[in-house]
Each structure stands twice: as structure tokens, then as C-alpha cells.
Amino acid sequence: MSQVAASLVTQVVPLQAPQISESGYPSKLTLELRGIRFEIDREMLMSLPESILIVMFPNGLILGRGGLDPYEEEEDPEDDTSDDSIPIEDQTIYVDFDPQCLEYILNFYKTAQEAFYSNQGSSSTFPHTPSQNPLLNKQAIIVLREELDYFTVPPKSNKTAGLVNESLSQTTSQVAAKSNEVSESTEVEPATFNIFTLKTECGEYLLHQKKIFTALQRNVNKENNVAEQHLIDMLCVSGFSREDEWGYRNIEPQKTSIVSIALVMLKTTGQSNQMATAQKLLLFWRKPARKCWWDGLEVSIGTEKNIPVRLWCRRTWTLELALV
């Protein structure tokens, strides 16, 4: 079974998950994510997907000095007003993570828990023992996250001039007009092809490409990758739909990077092979796996959509199973 999982996605090298001691911690923690504060139960925080916790706390979760703003200047060690003297339950932990993304995850967790426990009566026929299949004791959630880094290749000036040349007829009067147009085009191009504007517009274009499987399916069609097609089929059997969109998708501030995430409740009943497929996904419980590939696109941007741009996208998918 482990061979099947390895053929679908590349297993992540084991990372040191954020360590949180059981003793001395309050039941609730205060997080500040890019200016937005959250009060979250410690148990809920630790039930979040490993792949999310690693991004939120790449160096682990440390209270005391570790809870201070990393951009804050060093304080005088003799200063009695140091935040080290603040009780743990009153400390704020600063996290560089999208607050709307965390809110989406927490809301989905709450919905999944309510759905599972509301149907608990229908599953009471199963004996609840510690060694039982965890898929029967808790609600399983498929976590699919994409990190998209994009690079823009603007058009060359001589290419634009060549397009102008080809679009004009060869009559004497039109040749003179052609020279004027080429000259004018050369003068305005530096302003038109502002690289920062191009990157911003390309980011907006990609942001609105919300279908989850479009890019991967395009890669499957191009390279005839059977393992990737099997991955799509497995996810669609387990809870996703081929036309599903990302649950949350946004551009990272000050970066040419888009982060997307989608959560679905794992299906364990329905088709004859439903539980077998669910058991395969159970291999990714607390063991996120990663797949990375390059995707090239030709897009037209600008106010009149007349600027051809080549986009190279480095897409990294992280697949994980969470239990709540």
C-alpha cells in the first residue's frame, strides 16, 4: 500500500513538527496573524494539519521571547517592563500567515465536527474500541494546498514591431504609415511593458483561475502521466469533484506567489471501493506528501488584452489527511 502512495505524490522528507509542551500551557492561545487577532483553543491548534502548522510555526512555537514581534527592537535586559514577565495566558503569538486562510480552515473544521457528531447515531452499530479504524471514530478531512510561484516573460520590442510590419499592406502610402506606427510603438513600449504592472496583472489573471484540477489535468494530457491521472481519480472518488474550485485562494503580500487551499470531508461509503480508497489516503495522516511541477502558459493582458506574456508557474501541491 505504501508503494501505491509513493507513486501518486512524492513523500515529504520528515520535518520536525512544531513542538508544544503539554505542561504549563493555557487552554487558549492568542495569535496575531498579520494584524488580525485570533483566540484559539490549544487542542484545536494542535489538531490543524501538519502542513499548516509547519508553515505557521517554521521554528516551532515558543512562548516568552519567541512570542514577541520578530521585527521589534531588542529591549534592555534590565527593563522591568519586558514581555517575559507577562503571564503565558496573556501573551500574544505573532504569526506570518494569512488570517483569512486560517479562518477558512477553522470554519471548515467546525462544520465537519458538527456533521460527524450529528450522524453519530447512525454509526453506533460499530463497536468503539481504541484499536478500531480511526476513519470510523473521527471525521477525516482531505487537505489539499497549492503554492504557486509565477514568473513573467514580457514580449520583446522587435517582436511587436514585426507584428506591426506583417499587419500592414505593402502599398507605397501604407509603407509610410507603417514607419510612423513602428516609431510610435517603440516610444510607448517602455511604459506599456512595465514589468511591475505585468507581474500584478499576471497575478490577478492566475488568481481567477480557481479550478483545482485544470493545471494538473493539462500536465497529464501533455506528458501522459498515469500516476497523476490516478491521483485526480482517487481524490474525486474520495470527496472532490472534477469541477471543484479552491476553497480559499489569495496572493501573498509583496510576492509573486499565490497560495490556495481546499478541504473536503473524506467519503468512506458509497462506491464499492470507497473504503479501500479511504485507507490509501489514511497513509497521509500526519504525513503530508508533496508534488511539484512546472506549468507554462501564454496569456494576453493589458486594458485591451493585447500584450502577449509567457507565464511560467511552479506549482507545489501538498496532500494530507486530518482527523477531527
Side-chain angles (χ1 to χ4, degrees):
M1 185 177 294
S2 59
Q3 293 179 348
V4 175
S7 67
L8 299 177
V9 285
T10 303
Q11 194 73 29
V12 174
V13 177
L15 299 174
Q16 182 65 35
Q19 298 296 320
I20 298 185
S21 172
E22 292 295 328
S23 61
Y25 270 71
S27 59
K28 290 183 179 293
L29 297 173
T30 301
L31 308 181
E32 182 167 319
L33 284 69
R34 299 175 182 174
I36 306 298
R37 292 203 172 193
F38 286 82
E39 189 176 82
I40 183 172
D41 290 337
R42 179 173 58 87
E43 291 185 3
M44 174 61 74
L45 179 64
M46 293 312 301
S47 70
L48 294 180
E50 294 285 317
S51 55
I52 299 298
L53 289 174
I54 290 171
V55 175
M56 292 178 65
F57 308 105
N59 300 318
L61 176 55
I62 305 173
L63 292 182
R65 290 297 299 172
L68 296 180
D69 189 341
Y71 301 104
E72 191 172 307
E73 296 182 358
E74 289 290 335
E75 297 180 357
D76 186 344
E78 297 181 358
D79 187 358
D80 294 336
T81 62
S82 171
D83 282 3
D84 282 338
S85 61
I86 300 177
I88 292 179
E89 60 271 14
D90 295 332
Q91 290 186 16
T92 299
I93 305 168
Y94 295 89
V95 183
D96 184 18
F97 190 79
D98 191 334
Q100 295 182 21
C101 182
L102 179 60
E103 185 175 10
Y104 164 74
I105 296 172
L106 294 177
N107 289 340
F108 193 93
Y109 265 43
K110 182 179 179 180
T111 301
Q113 288 177 329
E114 291 175 351
F116 179 78
Y117 290 112
S118 65
N119 297 327
Q120 192 70 10
S122 61
S123 60
S124 59
T125 55
F126 295 100
H128 295 275
T129 61
S131 61
Q132 191 184 46
N133 186 341
L135 296 177
L136 302 178
N137 284 330
K138 293 185 177 182
Q139 177 61 58
I141 299 175
I142 306 175
V143 182
L144 186 61
R145 185 172 182 267
E146 180 187 74
E147 297 176 40
L148 189 161
D149 298 307
Y150 64 91
F151 307 86
T152 60
V153 183
K156 296 181 180 179
S157 58
N158 59 356
K159 179 180 178 181
T160 304
L163 292 175
V164 173
N165 290 338
E166 293 176 4
S167 64
L168 298 173
S169 62
Q170 299 302 314
T171 62
T172 303
S173 59
Q174 290 172 328
V175 167
K178 174 186 67 175
S179 300
N180 292 335
E181 289 190 25
V182 171
S183 176
E184 293 174 1
S185 174
T186 304
E187 293 177 1
V188 300
E189 273 183 0
T192 303
F193 297 149
N194 182 288
I195 189 63
F196 299 104
T197 303
L198 287 182
K199 288 181 178 181
T200 300
E201 293 195 21
C202 288
E204 291 295 329
Y205 171 84
L206 290 171
L207 184 64
H208 290 88
Q209 307 303 305
K210 297 182 179 181
K211 294 293 181 66
I212 296 176
F213 298 108
T214 298
L216 186 59
Q217 188 65 61
R218 182 165 56 241
N219 196 54
V220 170
N221 297 339
K222 182 175 67 174
E223 300 186 3
N224 193 26
N225 192 311
V226 178
E228 291 179 353
Q229 184 62 60
H230 183 43
L231 172 61
I232 296 175
D233 295 340
M234 182 180 70
L235 291 176
C236 291
V237 167
S238 303
F240 282 98
S241 167
R242 295 183 186 276
E243 297 300 318
D244 272 351
E245 298 183 351
W246 293 105
Y248 179 77
R249 184 174 177 87
N250 202 7
I251 301 176
E252 285 289 280
Q254 307 301 319
K255 295 181 182 179
T256 54
S257 177
I258 298 175
V259 175
S260 310
I261 188 170
L263 307 177
V264 297
M265 287 182 275
L266 176 66
K267 292 181 179 179
T268 56
T269 59
Q271 301 181 18
S272 57
N273 63 337
Q274 201 82 54
M275 181 56 76
T277 303
Q279 291 285 356
K280 293 178 183 178
L281 286 171
L282 189 58
L283 295 172
F284 303 114
W285 177 36
R286 294 180 178 174
K287 295 179 181 179
R290 185 171 296 169
K291 174 177 178 54
C292 178
W293 77 97
W294 285 90
D295 185 26
L297 298 171
E298 289 278 359
V299 300
S300 296
I301 62 173
T303 54
E304 298 180 0
K305 304 299 181 185
N306 60 344
I307 305 177
V309 177
R310 181 70 174 174
L311 267 178
W312 284 104
C313 303
R314 182 179 183 272
R315 301 175 185 267
T316 303
W317 274 20
T318 303
L319 176 64
E320 183 181 356
L321 193 74
L323 297 176
V324 295

